[in-house]
Amino acid sequence: MHQRWPSRLWIVRHGESAGNVAADAAHGASLARIDIAERDVDVPLSARGERQADTVGAWFADRPAEDRPEVVLTSPYLRARQTSERIRAAGGLTSDTADHSVDERLRERELGILDRLTRAGVEQLHPDQAAMRRRLGKFYHRPPSGESWCDVILRLRSALDTISLHHGERRVLIVAHQVVVLCLRYLIEDMTEAQILAIDAEGDVANCSVTEYAFRPSDHGTGKLALERYNFVAPIAEGGATVTSEPDANVAAR
């Protein structure tokens, strides 16, 4: 029977970005809006984020060649593409790995009218949306012109189907965003809303943290991906980079 899952799957959140830094500053000053000029798609890595990406790339490079990623899929957002490129530059991929493949289905959750607002900003400027979010919960609430977690999950179902079709039995690295990491866990591990929100409530997915799955065959069916590590930050700390987990500039997602 054809193995539809990758033999190993890594999901890495991008390194710290200028948006993370701006969001942290806005929270610290109790501001309603996050001060950043670029579109969310164009926000680059911070200097610390670059060091984080270099360090996680070096961690991959320390693995035997047969244990490194051979397929790289990345969000189209600049901070994710820069993270992928720095992992490659650090020697973290196999020598024959093609350039990363950009997949828009791996993009950050879109917040529509709530983009660039802190939680306090949503309460002040869009109290109706704050009330709606409390009633529906973050899993189902869709801000005007934005997405709910379910919307993200819908596009990720399609992305996983593509991975199964084209990259079965291969070693795949995905570089994306916090909500994407969580929603992929929801799909791969067949979770409920309550289960994934409980994991989310435990704390943010750290910048450049590694979530890793390995394929486990089964006597019945096609086998499955088994979680080996989640939110793993040891490579960053060991490499001398500072671990961060600030929310992105579209912080209303939290």
Side-chain angles (χ1 to χ4, degrees), residues 80-252:
R81 291 186 285 111
Q82 289 177 329
T83 300
S84 173
E85 290 161 359
R86 297 187 83 93
I87 290 173
R88 175 186 292 277
L93 310 177
T94 58
S95 59
D96 59 347
T97 302
D99 288 343
H100 61 231
S101 177
V102 171
D103 192 324
E104 74 286 343
R105 294 171 296 184
L106 301 175
R107 71 187 183 277
E108 177 63 284
R109 179 190 168 206
E110 297 175 0
L111 288 179
I113 65 169
L114 305 185
D115 188 37
R116 306 304 173 89
L117 298 183
T118 61
R119 185 178 292 275
V122 176
E123 294 283 353
Q124 294 171 24
L125 302 172
H126 297 284
D128 56 332
Q129 289 301 311
M132 183 71 74
R133 185 180 184 277
R134 286 191 293 271
R135 185 169 72 84
L136 294 178
K138 68 189 302 180
F139 195 77
Y140 288 104
H141 176 241
R142 178 191 294 129
S145 302
E147 295 179 299
S148 68
W149 277 39
C150 287
D151 294 322
V152 176
I153 288 166
L154 181 62
R155 53 177 158 92
L156 291 178
R157 285 190 187 278
S158 169
L160 283 179
D161 284 346
T162 299
I163 290 170
S164 297
L165 180 63
H166 295 289
H167 306 304
E169 303 186 52
R170 304 189 75 188
R171 302 183 303 278
V172 178
L173 169 64
I174 292 174
V175 182
H177 308 270
Q178 175 166 236
V179 171
V180 172
V181 175
L182 290 164
C183 290
L184 284 172
R185 282 204 64 182
Y186 170 88
L187 287 169
I188 293 169
E189 299 173 49
D190 195 22
M191 291 185 181
T192 64
E193 174 192 359
Q195 287 171 326
I196 193 57
L197 291 182
I199 292 170
D200 175 56
E202 292 173 358
D204 289 335
V205 178
N207 292 114
C208 267
S209 64
V210 179
T211 297
E212 183 174 0
Y213 291 90
F215 179 73
R216 296 288 181 264
S218 171
D219 292 336
H220 307 285
T222 57
K224 65 178 183 178
L225 289 175
L227 183 69
E228 292 205 337
R229 28 180 142 223
Y230 168 63
N231 213 8
F232 179 61
V233 295
I236 303 168
E238 290 170 0
T242 307
V243 176
T244 61
S245 58
E246 288 91 344
D248 282 318
N250 61 349
V251 71

